[in-house]
Amino acid sequence: MSRAPLTPLEDALAAVLAQAQPLPGAAFVDLLQADGRVLAADCIAPLQVPPLDNSAMDGYAVRSAEVAQAGTALPVSQRIPAGQVGTALQVGTVARIFTGAPLPPGADAIVMQEDCTVLDDGRVRFDAVPQPGQFVRRAGQDIALGSTALQAGLRLTPAALGLAASLGLAQLPVARRPRVALFSTGDELALPGSIAPQDLPPGHIFNSNRYVLASLLQRWGCEVVDGGILPDDRAATHTALARAAEDCDLLVTSAGVSVGEEDHVRPVVEQLGALSLWKIAMKPGKPFAFGHVRRSGGDPAAGRAHFIGLPGNPVSSLITALVLLRPFVLALQGASVVQPPAHWLTADFEITQRDSRREFLRARRNAAGQLELFANQNSGVLTSTVWAEGLVDNPAQTLIARGDSVRFLPFSELLT
């Protein structure tokens, strides 16, 4: 019997994202709690920034036509610190002004204090000739009144929060955090702390995927519900997934979606709902599954939880999470950008054998700024992901020669 062809990664990603409708339930949160959240609606500026023409320098506000040549000396008629508004500038005088202070009516330029000399009689001599508009920040040049200051779908950053604060906004509407039930599977798993390393029974391993995936999901804006370890028992798996689907938006498992007799997750999901994707043409990470689990009741429009089954090997689990799970949970939050941009760097390595699958290679930059590979690319070597700075995304059937330009995905962008 011929095997079903593996789904190309780009097709799998498109199918996954097609099911990722933004979750209902946006809410306003304080700016100090909004970092990393996804903006749920456009932020319309209630005022212009800056509100008035103001000085970009400490110095003197002048009529530029009155300082037509270096050496001109004029008296100071007023002093304008930040937070105060001056009066109209008298003809033949200048105003002492400080950074951020509003430009007085009549002035059209700022001469910074380094280009000025205060004379004994109090007048100011200008050692440089100003141009109209010099060192003046115009009203509204940053944000215009009524403009869209921040667009819906933006993942909020400290800079975005500062911009919102500059508009006087104390809260922003953000998308609801996806509630994600996270399960590990397998009788061989033990939790760190439950047993001393030297007492670990033969055939058992400590569960690393739980910590990797929980940390990733939290970084990506999710509320994580720890479902624990599913035993190699179909009835127990059925009960746990059915229960979690009742109040979670997404169920995520690691391992259990292959074809072994003890891989119970896949048949249980098919019994409780459906699988629409299984086995992806990527390396590592082929045994990836996507589908849904029906809820027992409630609103028909919210009658199911999404399901993503990740491989069990630690590196495979991590990479499929970065490549497929990350964009999905960001899309559930309505993020406008769910994939990182490509970075093209020079390879200081060779790939001399073609692979039928799209391959993700652990790599980092060397002293010359070129990419080198971790020596062991096996899907169970978690050390490679600590050593690496990111992944080389190598298309199927592609050889790489030293000096070639390759697509690089930095962990610094995938993990945030």
Side-chain angles (χ1 to χ4, degrees):
M1 185 176 67
S2 62
R3 296 180 179 179
L6 302 179
T7 303
L9 177 58
E10 53 271 25
D11 293 346
L13 182 58
V16 166
L17 291 178
Q19 297 299 316
Q21 299 302 314
L23 298 171
F28 279 86
V29 299
D30 292 341
L31 293 188
L32 290 177
Q33 281 73 52
D35 185 34
R37 302 291 293 272
V38 176
L39 190 64
D42 288 347
C43 174
I44 306 301
L47 50 77
Q48 62 182 1
V49 178
L52 298 170
D53 292 351
N54 70 88
S55 176
M57 294 284 180
D58 290 345
Y60 296 87
V62 303
R63 287 183 174 87
S64 58
E66 295 180 347
V67 188
Q69 59 185 8
T72 299
L74 295 171
V76 177
S77 59
Q78 60 180 305
R79 184 177 183 273
I80 313 173
Q84 295 185 19
V85 178
T87 59
L89 187 63
Q90 298 175 24
V91 174
T93 71
V94 299
R96 178 68 166 126
I97 197 166
F98 297 87
T99 302
L103 196 69
D108 66 352
I110 303 294
V111 182
M112 62 181 179
Q113 62 189 22
E114 291 85 351
D115 290 334
C116 302
T117 302
V118 179
L119 303 178
D120 292 341
D121 62 5
R123 292 182 303 156
V124 177
R125 186 185 71 216
F126 295 95
D127 303 319
V129 177
Q131 298 298 315
Q134 174 178 290
F135 299 131
V136 175
R137 295 186 293 213
R138 295 299 180 189
Q141 72 174 32
D142 186 8
I143 308 169
L145 174 66
S147 66
T148 300
L150 299 170
Q151 289 189 330
L154 174 71
R155 292 189 72 197
L156 293 167
T157 62
L161 299 179
L163 190 151
S166 76
L167 294 171
L169 302 176
Q171 296 182 322
L172 287 174
V174 297
R176 177 168 67 82
R177 295 184 185 275
R179 184 172 168 85
V180 182
L182 177 62
F183 297 93
S184 303
T185 68
D187 289 340
E188 75 279 10
L189 296 179
L191 287 178
S194 66
I195 188 171
Q198 63 271 20
D199 296 328
L200 189 69
H204 283 64
I205 58 173
F206 285 113
N207 181 5
S208 61
N209 287 347
R210 173 185 186 237
Y211 301 91
V212 172
L213 297 174
S215 298
L216 287 175
L217 288 165
Q218 289 167 352
R219 287 187 177 213
W220 298 334
C222 300
E223 176 190 351
V224 179
V225 178
D226 187 2
I229 298 173
L230 297 176
D232 291 328
D233 178 86
R234 184 163 299 188
T237 299
H238 186 285
T239 298
L241 296 185
R243 182 181 297 123
E246 294 301 315
D247 62 358
C248 290
D249 304 298
L250 171 64
L251 315 182
V252 175
T253 64
S254 60
V257 293
S258 191
V259 293
E261 294 179 2
E262 299 300 327
D263 291 322
H264 299 296
V265 173
R266 179 171 172 251
V268 166
V269 171
E270 291 177 320
Q271 182 180 2
L272 291 171
L275 280 182
S276 54
L277 280 175
W278 184 51
K279 291 190 176 181
I280 311 301
M282 63 181 290
K283 179 182 180 182
K286 180 177 71 172
F288 170 89
F290 176 76
H292 68 268
V293 172
R294 291 186 299 271
R295 297 190 177 111
S296 60
D299 183 358
R304 63 185 190 178
H306 299 288
F307 168 79
I308 287 181
L310 303 174
N313 280 329
V315 177
S316 301
S317 179
L318 170 61
I319 291 179
T320 50
L322 296 175
V323 174
L324 289 161
L325 176 59
R326 177 183 182 272
F328 183 74
V329 296
L330 293 180
L332 287 181
Q333 298 169 75
S336 55
V337 177
V338 299
Q339 298 211 70
H343 297 262
W344 293 90
L345 299 179
T346 302
D348 192 16
F349 62 88
E350 296 179 341
I351 298 295
T352 58
Q353 292 185 336
R354 301 182 190 274
D355 198 291
S356 61
R357 291 179 283 165
R358 186 167 166 181
E359 190 169 13
F360 292 88
L361 305 162
R362 280 79 77 200
R364 72 180 183 190
R365 285 165 290 192
N366 57 24
Q370 300 181 343
L371 292 174
E372 58 183 354
L373 297 184
F374 192 75
N376 187 346
Q377 293 286 321
N378 186 279
S379 62
V381 182
L382 202 54
T383 308
S384 65
T385 62
V386 178
W387 174 93
E389 294 177 353
L391 303 171
V392 171
D393 180 1
N394 190 36
Q397 305 293 349
T398 302
L399 303 179
I400 298 175
R402 206 174 300 273
D404 284 352
S405 182
V406 295
R407 186 171 186 259
F408 183 63
L409 305 175
F411 284 147
S412 60
E413 296 182 8
L414 289 168
L415 299 180
T416 57

